[in-house]
Amino acid sequence: MDMERDLKEILLTEEQIQNKIRELADQIYQEYGDKNPVFIGVLKGVVVFYADMVRAISVPCQFDFMWISSYSGTNSTGTMQVKRDISADIKGRHVVILEDIFDTGNSLDFTYKHLMSKEPASLKICTLLDKPDRRK
């Protein structure tokens, strides 16, 4: 399979993406350098961005994942479910959701509310790309 043949246009170069990741990691260092935050990735789409961020983040922290889905087989049910919850106790902790693309906002809204119910000290979102025209 020749992926380059299938591409119509490159929107961001690898260098631009890595520069943005370093910029985000620097912002995280400034805000969370002494707070021992928990970084949460929502599987499965976040894996590549999450791995890049893990390598770039230089603050003492904890990493965790959760998996949510609105699908049963290949059909969307329209209702989000937690398939695998985080294992960390985040009550009173500073938490950052790592998100590769902020698209419709449905899964991020669900994730945010779910994590807020666990009473973190703070909860913020760090996203690489934003598609505001798809927001619901």
Side-chain angles (χ1 to χ4, degrees):
M1 179 160 127
D2 185 7
M3 187 165 53
E4 287 188 22
R5 183 184 63 210
D6 295 334
L7 292 177
K8 292 181 182 176
E9 175 184 9
I10 294 175
L11 300 177
L12 296 169
T13 67
E14 182 176 350
E15 182 180 2
Q16 288 173 308
I17 292 169
Q18 292 306 317
N19 286 341
K20 185 51 131 178
I21 286 169
R22 281 190 293 277
E23 179 185 318
L24 291 170
D26 288 346
Q27 289 176 354
I28 286 169
Y29 179 80
Q30 295 302 316
E31 187 165 348
Y32 295 98
D34 60 348
K35 295 180 180 170
N36 192 26
V38 180
F39 292 95
I40 297 175
V42 179
L43 296 172
K44 298 179 185 173
V46 77
V47 171
V48 174
F49 173 59
Y50 193 95
D52 285 344
M53 287 299 295
V54 165
R55 287 188 290 266
I57 292 170
S58 62
V59 299
C61 59
Q62 184 176 353
F63 298 102
D64 207 343
F65 286 101
M66 63 184 292
W67 177 24
I68 62 172
S69 180
S70 65
Y71 285 85
S72 177
T74 58
N75 300 316
S76 177
T77 64
T79 304
M80 294 295 217
Q81 292 182 310
V82 176
K83 297 287 191 173
R84 182 203 177 274
D85 208 345
I86 58 172
S87 57
D89 179 6
I90 62 170
K91 185 173 184 171
R93 302 275 308 271
H94 297 281
V95 177
V96 179
I97 301 168
L98 295 178
E99 178 75 310
D100 57 339
I101 301 173
F102 186 9
D103 195 3
T104 64
N106 292 339
S107 61
L108 200 50
D109 181 61
F110 177 84
T111 302
Y112 188 88
K113 289 175 181 172
H114 175 75
L115 294 175
M116 282 302 290
S117 74
K118 296 176 182 293
E119 302 177 30
S122 68
L123 179 59
K124 291 193 175 179
I125 299 162
C126 173
T127 186
L128 178 63
L129 301 171
D130 187 10
K131 292 169 101 177
D133 56 321
R134 298 231 332 134
R135 200 85 67 247
K136 291 186 177 177

